[in-house]
Amino acid sequence: MLEVLLTKRGRARWEWRVCDSSGKTIMGASEISRAEAKYQGERALFLLLLTTARTLDPGQVAVGLAPIAARRSRPKRDRDVGDAASRPPGL
């Protein structure tokens, strides 16, 4: 599980970190305002989740999404690609 941590550093500095469940920092930086640090931290978390979701195998997809993955991998039927008579030669 990933989480965003905000820490005040001095009078005008906020640090944000994206950490995993063991507490190891994956990404981090500092900003001038708390709102900006919160925004940048949540943005980094979103981008990490987006990147991770694209690299998952269909077997690793959540249980609720399994039927969708199964529909995508179904074999094409003749009606999906058209019959051989309607295609140009060589295809």
Side-chain angles (χ1 to χ4, degrees), residues 8-70:
K8 187 166 184 171
R9 299 284 183 199
R11 286 181 46 205
R13 217 35 149 169
W14 285 86
E15 179 184 69
W16 63 266
R17 294 181 293 144
V18 178
C19 300
D20 63 4
S21 57
S22 66
K24 180 181 174 188
T25 300
I26 298 171
M27 296 178 75
S30 62
E31 308 295 335
I32 293 174
S33 70
R34 183 183 190 282
E36 183 66 18
K38 183 175 181 345
Y39 173 80
Q40 292 296 336
E42 290 175 353
R43 181 173 183 254
L45 174 63
F46 175 76
L47 292 173
L48 281 170
L49 293 173
L50 182 66
T51 303
T52 305
R54 288 184 178 180
T55 61
L56 289 177
D57 291 334
Q60 296 174 330
V61 177
V63 175
L65 299 177
I68 294 171

